[in-house]
Amino acid sequence: MRRQLQALACLGSLAALSTPVTAAHAATQSAACQVTAAKPYVDAKGMIRGTGARSGCDDSSRLRVRILQSRPGPDRTLKSASRQVVNGEIVAGVRCTDTPRRYYVLALDYQGNVSRSPVTALSCAPTTPTPTPTTPAPTPSTPPGDGGTGSAVEEEVVRLTNQARTAGGCKPLAHDAKLHAAAKGHSADMAAKGYFSHTSQDGRSPGDRIKATGFSPIRAWAENIAMGQRTAASVVQGWLNSPGHKANIMNCDLTLIGVGHDPKGPHWTQVFARH
């Protein structure tokens, strides 16, 4: 019985929201203030550098940039730097290794703006030039969670969500990079500031956060959030056990998804939308 009550307590930490937003409204409310994350690179001193920038803003906020290693399970933060700015950039650095690893940069400010760079493989191992092949090799497909839109656990949430949708007669959702940024930013913000709500502490709604990523036009959106579930399977099952959350997952009119996971809590955000 004790185990069952703990499971019900986790389900009590779920929240759902679904609100239509018209394209015209999305266009008039687009935010000029934005945060961008540049793809990491290796400099001449053998350091992996990650840059985050804030531009078009008229208020001061703490800008944070993180260099993360993409790997199975929760991604690892290797280095973090922050500074109070209105507009500007900061650079974080971590020494690279001889073993190739996959890295990306996450930049965010305390106003909820967030950006994630593409994942790239970097190392400092000496390389030997190889002849250029006469026939280009086929590009392998990227498996979920290995350099795709999200981390491995986020891609697993997408997979399980699509599994439920297809079983119910809906088409699978594509994991959209901008929706992923909105979901990732909200999970990170809730974890950092210790709250659990669809409304950010600066008053922004899910629609505001989606628009801030540049996702446009927005015909409709919905959001599921959760806290405390330890695995992708448990959080998706919790959402499916809740009528409001399941309605968002099984809304066949929505075509795109973004999933954000923060290990602190853990906090989970699932954003749906269509153009």
Side-chain angles (χ1 to χ4, degrees), residues 59 109-113 185-206 208-209 223 225 264 267:
D59 60 340
D109 65 13
Y110 283 15
Q111 301 300 320
N113 298 308
H186 189 49
S187 290
D189 191 56
M190 288 191 291
K193 297 178 182 177
Y195 71 98
F196 183 72
S197 173
H198 288 290
T199 303
S200 302
Q201 290 193 328
D202 60 5
R204 296 189 308 155
S205 70
D208 295 328
R209 294 190 293 269
E223 181 179 86
I225 60 175
K264 184 179 178 182
H267 282 79

Side-chain angles (χ1 to χ4, degrees), residues 173-188:
L173 301 160
H175 202 178
D176 181 82
K178 291 178 180 178
L179 294 183
H180 172 258
K184 189 81 170 180
H186 189 49
S187 290

Side-chain angles (χ1 to χ4, degrees), residues 221-270:
W221 58 258
E223 181 179 86
N224 288 341
I225 60 175
M227 182 177 68
Q229 293 76 9
R230 295 292 170 184
T231 65
S234 64
V235 73
V236 173
Q237 190 58 54
W239 281 327
L240 290 172
N241 289 342
S242 167
H245 301 87
K246 184 175 182 180
N248 285 343
I249 290 173
M250 301 306 297
N251 186 340
C252 296
D253 290 335
L254 299 170
T255 57
L256 300 169
I257 188 173
V259 174
H261 166 257
D262 192 288
K264 184 179 178 182
H267 282 79
W268 307 82
T269 303
Q270 193 179 45

Side-chain angles (χ1 to χ4, degrees), residues 37-53:
K39 187 170 68 174
Y41 65 94
V42 178
D43 68 10
K45 297 181 180 180
M47 297 289 291
I48 295 174
R49 300 292 183 184
T51 304

